[in-house]
Amino acid sequence: MDTSAFWFVVVATMWGGTNPLLKRGSKGVERIREHNRIQQFLSELKFLFFNWKYLVPFCINQGGSVIYYLTLATADLSLAVPITNSLTFIFTSISGTLMGEKPPSRDTCFGMMLVVCGVALCVLDKV
């Protein structure tokens, strides 16, 4: 496997694995009510920044963004976008299911399998 493709899979894993954790960690932010938009924004930011259940997955997610950015310097963009975007969806679905969210339907699983096959063909075409 191309080394950049490997790093894009790592990024997709980091992004997809943290998405359900970010969703879970941000619960409660919707209940914050302030008098104006600036106070609202600052209160929500404070809520998220001091909530370790949100902050830890956010840092991991942003670490994936740093790896993505660094890998883009030497990678083929025609691989970067399909690998990261499609596999992020798959890893989000898997990690969400492992965390107790509703599992994907049979049709969604079939679609994910087709996505993996398509990404594999893109990678093989570039090797």
Side-chain angles (χ1 to χ4, degrees):
M1 180 191 282
D2 183 18
T3 58
S4 60
F6 167 78
W7 286 111
F8 289 132
V9 172
V10 170
V11 169
T13 304
M14 291 172 79
W15 285 349
T18 56
N19 283 340
L21 295 170
L22 290 167
K23 179 180 174 184
R24 184 178 285 181
S26 66
K27 283 194 176 169
V29 74
E30 69 279 355
R31 292 190 300 264
I32 297 173
R33 298 284 181 250
E34 293 294 340
H35 300 296
N36 63 51
R37 289 183 184 191
I38 294 173
Q39 285 180 329
Q40 180 73 26
F41 173 75
L42 292 174
S43 293
E44 290 174 2
L45 192 62
K46 178 182 172 187
F47 173 85
L48 294 173
F49 185 76
F50 289 106
N51 180 358
W52 70 269
K53 290 179 183 178
Y54 179 84
L55 193 59
V56 170
F58 177 77
C59 289
I60 294 169
N61 188 289
Q62 293 307 298
S65 297
V66 169
I67 294 171
Y68 183 73
Y69 176 76
L70 294 173
T71 307
L72 281 178
T74 59
D76 185 351
L77 289 178
S78 64
L79 285 177
V81 174
I83 291 173
T84 53
N85 289 348
S86 59
L87 294 181
T88 296
F89 166 72
I90 292 171
F91 290 127
T92 299
S93 179
I94 292 169
S95 60
T97 301
L98 292 173
M99 291 178 53
E101 294 180 5
K102 180 182 158 198
S105 69
R106 182 177 53 101
D107 290 342
T108 301
C109 289
F110 180 68
M112 288 189 295
M113 185 181 72
L114 290 175
V115 166
V116 169
C117 291
V119 169
L121 287 174
C122 286
V123 171
L124 290 174
D125 181 55
K126 298 295 178 179
V127 173

